[in-house]
Amino acid sequence: WDLTGKALGLPVCQLLGGACREEIPAYVSGLPVEGLQEKVDLALSWKDQGFRAIKLHIGYGMEEDLRIMTALRKALGPDFKLMMDAHWNYTAAQAVKLARKLEALEVEFLECPLNPEDLNGYAELAAAVDIPVALGESDRTHWQFKDIFDKQSCDIAQPDIGRCGITEMMRIADLAELYGRPVAPHLSVGQAGCIAATLHCDAAMYNFYGMQEYQPSIAPVANEFLTRPIVCENGYLRLPEGPGLGIEFEEDKIRYHSVEGGTACE
């Protein structure tokens, strides 16, 4: 996709049908500090920088998870969006109990509380609670997502472009639209190419969820190897400009961190 765009002088989002948006709302993914007050303080600092949504990476047990989410809701106010990624730490029955308590905190979605293979458990959860259930980061094909949609195992689809690629991402999005599901692409430790590709799909996707996961600890590392950085300001990710994915790598910096022959990295 990148090479084709560069050959034609077109950005990838145009090859995918055209951009519906050039600035993409971002949510902060994770508050990687110890202690409840430290988490609250970090969340407030992101709010001061223009972000209006945060996803917590928790799963410490129901009581602790609820304690953290309650403190954040109190500190950030009712208009700030909160999501929760439980990292496969609960059973279906436990997740139902947790989700019902999260509903009172107006949590936007509950991500991956069960093992990713437990589609029947996810279907039970999604049917039992009002809070949307998000699923799909570990899956690679639209056939896998068809199973998820057929079993009504999620409310929000979360394919990861680092696993499925641009072509399959858009197939998944088209399939999700048929089932009436929005797509919120997962974006974790992927570097610059992965981030840029995700943003181009976000821009072209008709049923985009409306917020893109943003990893503050990963973005500076990714940008270190680019001639022009991928920009996130005031809570928005900016679509990289230019043909293809709109990014160019600093090859000298890549060489500096590599060993001839690719046998090791320093």
Side-chain angles (χ1 to χ4, degrees):
W1 285 100
D2 185 46
L3 287 171
T4 300
K6 285 182 167 61
L8 296 175
L10 294 172
V12 166
C13 61
Q14 293 297 322
L15 302 180
L16 296 174
C20 299
R21 54 195 69 84
E22 293 183 356
E23 286 192 327
I24 297 158
Y27 68 84
V28 173
S29 188
L31 296 172
V33 291
E34 295 292 334
L36 180 57
Q37 189 58 51
E38 288 79 6
K39 290 183 186 297
V40 169
D41 291 343
L42 181 56
L44 289 170
S45 73
W46 286 122
K47 183 178 181 180
D48 289 342
Q49 294 177 55
F51 287 90
R52 292 294 176 264
I54 291 174
K55 182 173 75 180
L56 272 294
H57 294 183
I58 42 185
Y60 303 120
M62 195 174 305
E63 184 177 336
E64 181 65 9
D65 287 352
L66 289 169
R67 186 173 80 97
I68 295 170
M69 296 299 287
T70 299
L72 288 170
R73 171 56 72 213
K74 181 178 179 180
L76 295 166
D79 296 331
F80 197 93
K81 296 182 186 297
L82 287 174
M83 294 80 77
M84 178 177 171
D85 184 348
H87 285 293
W88 313 306
N89 278 297
Y90 292 99
T91 67
Q94 291 169 336
V96 169
K97 186 176 181 180
L98 173 65
R100 285 175 176 161
K101 293 180 182 295
L102 291 174
E103 287 169 0
L105 298 174
E106 298 186 349
V107 171
E108 292 291 310
F109 64 71
L110 175 59
E111 177 180 335
C112 294
L114 318 179
N115 287 331
E117 299 86 359
D118 187 8
L119 299 188
N120 290 332
Y122 275 104
E124 176 186 335
L125 171 63
V129 301
D130 292 332
I131 184 172
V133 176
L135 176 64
E137 68 180 79
S138 61
D139 296 303
R140 298 172 183 270
T141 73
H142 66 287
W143 294 108
Q144 291 173 300
F145 276 89
K146 185 177 186 300
D147 288 341
I148 292 172
F149 298 146
D150 282 342
K151 292 185 176 182
Q152 298 185 337
S153 297
C154 81
D155 301 291
I156 301 168
Q158 288 186 306
D160 189 310
I161 209 162
R163 295 188 174 98
C164 65
I166 292 173
T167 302
E168 201 66 7
M169 172 72 81
M170 299 308 289
R171 285 176 178 159
I172 292 165
D174 287 343
L175 183 65
E177 186 180 347
L178 292 177
Y179 285 83
R181 300 294 194 272
V183 177
H186 181 265
L187 185 56
S188 181
V189 296
Q191 293 296 303
C194 186
I195 297 170
T198 300
L199 294 177
H200 278 272
C201 289
D202 291 344
M205 200 180 292
Y206 177 76
N207 53 336
F208 176 55
Y209 176 68
M211 293 187 293
Q212 175 56 56
E213 185 169 15
Y214 171 68
Q215 297 279 357
S217 62
I218 300 299
V221 180
N223 282 334
E224 181 182 347
F225 296 96
L226 297 180
T227 59
R228 291 181 295 120
I230 296 171
V231 176
C232 186
E233 290 179 338
N234 299 317
Y236 286 84
L237 282 155
R238 193 177 304 157
L239 185 66
E241 296 179 356
L245 292 175
I247 58 173
E248 297 288 346
F249 287 95
E250 289 273 14
E251 295 185 17
D252 289 343
K253 288 186 178 180
I254 295 174
R255 279 193 202 93
Y256 176 79
H257 288 280
S258 64
V259 172
E260 193 75 27
T263 56
C265 288
E266 295 179 340

